[in-house]
Amino acid sequence: MQPVAITREISPAFADCELTHQPRVPIDMVRARAQHEAYERALADAGYRVERLKSDADMPDAVFIEDTAIVFEEIAVMTRPGAVSRRGEVPAVADALEAHRAVRRIEAPATIDGGDVLVAGRCVFVGLSSRTNRDAVRQLRSLLASYGYTICEAAIEDCLHLKSAVTALNNDTLLMNPRLVNPQTFTGFEIIEVDPEEPMAANALRLRDRILFPSAFPRTAVRLRANGFRVATIDASELAKAEGAVTCCSLLVDATEA
Ligand code: CIR
């Protein structure tokens, strides 16, 4: 069956997005929407049926839908986002996920953003960040207890989310900036480092048969191709002004396990 990619339209209030590590700069909304549409086309080209949810003026960061849920083969876990301004994004995403998975929830006092959760095969790494705390790790461990996952904490430095520092290219290979996360946390994995001139290049979106990757990081793209990965590039520069990258704009739902 065709896999699904759930996306969310850019909010009219996108300019009021949360910012943690970057200064606020003007966002060109027309360009941002065009880039988002190109992103959705790239998902469709890779074989996904794109399901786009509506957003609203009271949820500036809604386009970064990854932060609201973690989709596993067996269940979907709704997050409790670390930024209070983002908690209203969750219910509509839960409604959409009900069609695909049994939905579970992270509860207060835990906070967690999906951007802090890296899944590679049966290994789940959770970044302890300004958005994600240990209560969330405990709850995630208990929600996943019967499914055979190993859950590990990962410390990060100088970046928003774990997946700003490391993402999975397949079940055995990670793309990483070792200055933002300790490679020793990931023993047993093959590690491809980002080009040192492209420190923000560790966020790559693993699709079924290719990697979707920002065109802003051509040197790291060369490394990915040299390691045998098929790479499709998109311009995500306007989304990057809101501290977003390629993984955060979709929730991928593999239809085979629904
Ligand atoms: C935020 O600070 O929450 C948004 N402006 C950016 C979220 C990016 N999400 C992600 O990388 N998973």
Side-chain angles (χ1 to χ4, degrees):
M1 269 176 66
Q2 195 180 11
V4 173
I6 306 178
T7 64
R8 196 154 198 185
E9 70 182 4
I10 294 178
S11 164
F14 191 39
D16 299 325
C17 64
E18 294 282 340
L19 287 172
T20 310
H21 294 274
Q22 288 180 202
R24 197 169 295 279
V25 295
I27 295 178
D28 180 332
M29 288 295 282
V30 173
R31 251 187 113 209
R33 290 203 174 95
Q35 288 179 358
H36 189 238
E37 279 164 21
Y39 174 88
E40 291 176 328
R41 274 197 304 279
L43 295 173
D45 282 349
Y48 291 76
R49 179 169 64 76
V50 176
E51 204 179 298
R52 183 200 278 199
L53 307 186
K54 296 237 168 282
S55 72
D56 220 327
D58 62 358
M59 45 183 84
D61 281 302
V63 67
F64 302 125
I65 189 169
E66 167 183 58
D67 292 317
T68 60
I70 310 137
V71 181
F72 296 92
E73 281 175 25
E74 302 84 358
I75 55 171
V77 176
M78 304 314 300
T79 66
R80 182 167 181 268
V84 176
S85 71
R86 299 201 57 189
R87 298 203 180 135
E89 297 173 27
V90 174
V93 182
D95 289 347
L97 282 169
E98 299 270 2
H100 304 283
R101 293 288 188 275
V103 169
R104 304 281 180 263
R105 286 181 170 74
I106 297 287
E107 311 282 356
T111 63
I112 185 167
D113 283 7
D116 275 319
V117 183
L118 169 61
V119 184
R122 293 276 125 181
C123 293
V124 180
F125 295 95
V126 184
L128 296 174
S129 70
S130 59
R131 302 287 174 87
T132 296
N133 62 23
R134 286 211 158 93
D135 281 307
V137 181
R138 272 193 284 277
Q139 289 186 28
L140 196 57
R141 202 170 265 136
S142 135
L143 290 170
L144 293 175
S146 47
Y147 305 118
Y149 291 92
T150 303
I151 290 98
C152 301
E153 294 178 359
I156 58 169
E157 270 179 53
D158 298 332
C159 60
L160 181 59
H161 289 128
L162 177 63
K163 280 188 275 191
S164 322
V166 55
T167 50
L169 299 168
N170 59 33
N171 285 350
D172 312 303
T173 315
L174 306 177
L175 175 63
M176 181 181 295
N177 179 341
R179 280 157 290 277
L180 304 179
V181 69
N182 185 348
Q184 287 174 3
T185 308
F186 306 89
T187 34
F189 286 88
E190 290 287 321
I191 292 177
I192 300 175
E193 291 190 12
V194 300
D195 186 284
E197 290 187 26
E198 297 175 344
M200 294 317 295
N203 188 274
L205 180 62
R206 171 191 180 183
L207 300 176
R208 281 196 307 182
D209 65 349
R210 69 197 73 176
I211 302 296
L212 188 61
F213 197 63
S215 53
F217 308 121
R219 290 163 177 267
T220 303
V222 168
R223 292 186 179 201
L224 297 180
R225 291 192 174 105
N227 279 277
F229 290 96
R230 176 176 173 191
V231 180
T233 56
I234 49 154
D235 180 1
S237 51
E238 226 52 41
L239 299 165
K241 291 178 182 174
E243 249 176 292
V246 285
T247 63
C248 38
C249 296
S250 55
L251 286 170
L252 302 181
V253 185
D254 194 331
T256 56
E257 303 289 334

